[in-house]
Amino acid sequence: MWIALIIAIYLLFIVLNILSYAQYYLSTKLSVGGFAQILYTMQNSMSGSENTVLDAVKGFFEHNWLLLLLGTLVFGGMIWLYLMDKKGKIQTKIEPMKFTKILKRVLIGLACFTLLFDVFLGVKIYDSLGIKEYNESLNKESDLYDKYYADARKTNIEFPEKKRNLIYIICESMESTYTDKKNGGGFQQNLIPELTALAQENTDFTSQEDSQLNGGYTPGNTTWTIAGIAAQSMGVPLNIGNNDYNRNFFLQ
């Protein structure tokens, strides 16, 4: 029983390492715009893109190798200590029965601490990914499509007599954060001075009363690349959860 408890504690320790790295990875390595983004990535082909799963697994061992090694040695030592104590080969100033009780209490305390810390990290990741908000959004109703949806198959598009060209440029991973703090960005030095000037001298989605490049308001399911393209071109968020839609995404 006690050997099984030590193994269970070790497994909780591994889960603790995975959760702590997941928290680090999601906050520093991967910019996640919400839980829907993760579902979209899992449900749709990512061929031609970087191997995020492989990178994450490799990064886990590179980031946590020392802690994993030390933890494995400690838990291996605990199993050895318990077995030696059970055989009566541990000589201490404490009475053997009392030493065994202390050892068992340490194991129970360690199991409780590890389990509580796992739950704490799990709740923290749950909150940071916005899973609660995603679940709540599934039960919300909207009349957006009833009021404003136009079926392209039944809509007549009338062009003006003098047509004009429209050039639509989308920059991957480009955002106003790259400008300086004076203009509403996140850097001391403006990394995109030309784009900043273009935005200030022409039409921008920032409020007219605001001189900073704060951009437009981004509702849910519009903050990552494909969701942003869908929202900009169709005026609706890229809602995830409809299996028929996900399967036929590339046919839309």
Side-chain angles (χ1 to χ4, degrees):
M1 171 187 174
W2 294 102
I3 296 294
L5 178 61
I6 295 175
I7 294 174
I9 297 172
Y10 181 69
L11 293 177
L12 288 173
F13 168 75
I14 297 297
V15 172
L16 180 63
N17 275 269
I18 294 174
L19 289 174
S20 64
Y21 180 74
Q23 177 71 19
Y24 162 79
Y25 185 81
L26 291 171
S27 60
T28 60
K29 296 288 186 182
L30 189 64
S31 178
V32 176
F35 188 62
Q37 179 180 353
I38 296 176
L39 290 182
Y40 173 83
T41 304
M42 293 171 62
Q43 295 174 2
N44 292 277
S45 171
M46 296 296 287
S47 58
S49 64
E50 59 182 302
N51 195 329
T52 306
V53 175
L54 184 61
D55 289 342
V57 173
K58 180 182 176 182
F60 169 71
F61 287 103
E62 289 179 348
H63 187 265
N64 287 41
W65 71 270
L66 182 58
L67 190 59
L68 288 170
L69 178 61
L70 292 175
T72 302
L73 292 174
V74 168
F75 282 102
M78 289 174 61
I79 292 178
W80 177 85
L81 183 64
Y82 178 79
L83 291 175
M84 291 299 102
D85 177 64
K86 192 174 182 180
K87 292 179 180 179
K89 294 184 179 182
I90 300 294
Q91 302 296 326
T92 65
K93 294 181 180 179
I94 306 174
E95 295 180 4
M97 291 292 292
K98 190 175 182 180
F99 179 78
T100 301
K101 287 182 179 179
I102 292 174
L103 182 60
K104 290 178 178 179
R105 287 173 183 173
V106 169
L107 291 176
I108 294 173
L110 189 59
C112 293
F113 172 79
T114 311
L115 180 60
L116 286 174
F117 208 52
D118 281 347
V119 172
F120 170 76
L121 282 177
V123 170
K124 196 172 181 181
I125 293 174
Y126 179 89
D127 290 337
S128 65
L129 290 180
I131 298 177
K132 180 181 178 181
E133 290 79 4
Y134 171 78
N135 288 330
E136 290 176 349
S137 71
L138 295 179
N139 299 317
K140 288 183 179 179
E141 295 185 2
S142 172
D143 59 0
L144 173 67
Y145 300 96
D146 296 329
K147 283 187 175 181
Y148 302 106
Y149 174 72
D151 191 339
R153 295 169 296 183
K154 301 176 182 178
T155 303
N156 262 343
I157 301 176
E158 296 183 3
F159 294 96
E161 186 176 340
K162 186 178 180 181
K163 298 178 181 178
R164 300 176 64 184
N165 291 325
L166 172 66
I167 301 175
Y168 188 47
I169 301 174
I170 300 177
C171 297
E172 169 69 18
S173 298
M174 179 56 65
E175 55 185 79
S176 59
T177 308
Y178 294 124
T179 190
D180 53 11
K181 294 181 179 179
K182 173 186 173 183
N183 288 298
F187 291 84
Q188 294 297 330
Q189 181 181 356
N190 191 346
L191 304 180
I192 50 172
E194 293 85 0
L195 290 177
T196 302
L198 280 173
Q200 292 172 337
E201 295 168 3
N202 296 276
T203 302
D204 180 58
F205 289 101
T206 302
S207 170
Q208 291 182 354
E209 295 78 20
D210 194 346
S211 61
Q212 295 184 330
L213 303 182
N214 290 325
Y217 176 73
T218 52
N221 297 350
T222 64
T223 54
W224 73 95
T225 303
I226 188 63
I229 294 174
Q232 290 178 32
S233 58
M234 295 186 287
V236 293
L238 182 60
N239 292 322
I240 305 301
N242 186 319
N243 290 329
D244 291 331
Y245 174 78
N246 291 332
R247 281 197 300 268
N248 297 295
F249 182 77
F250 294 103
L251 302 178
Q252 302 298 318

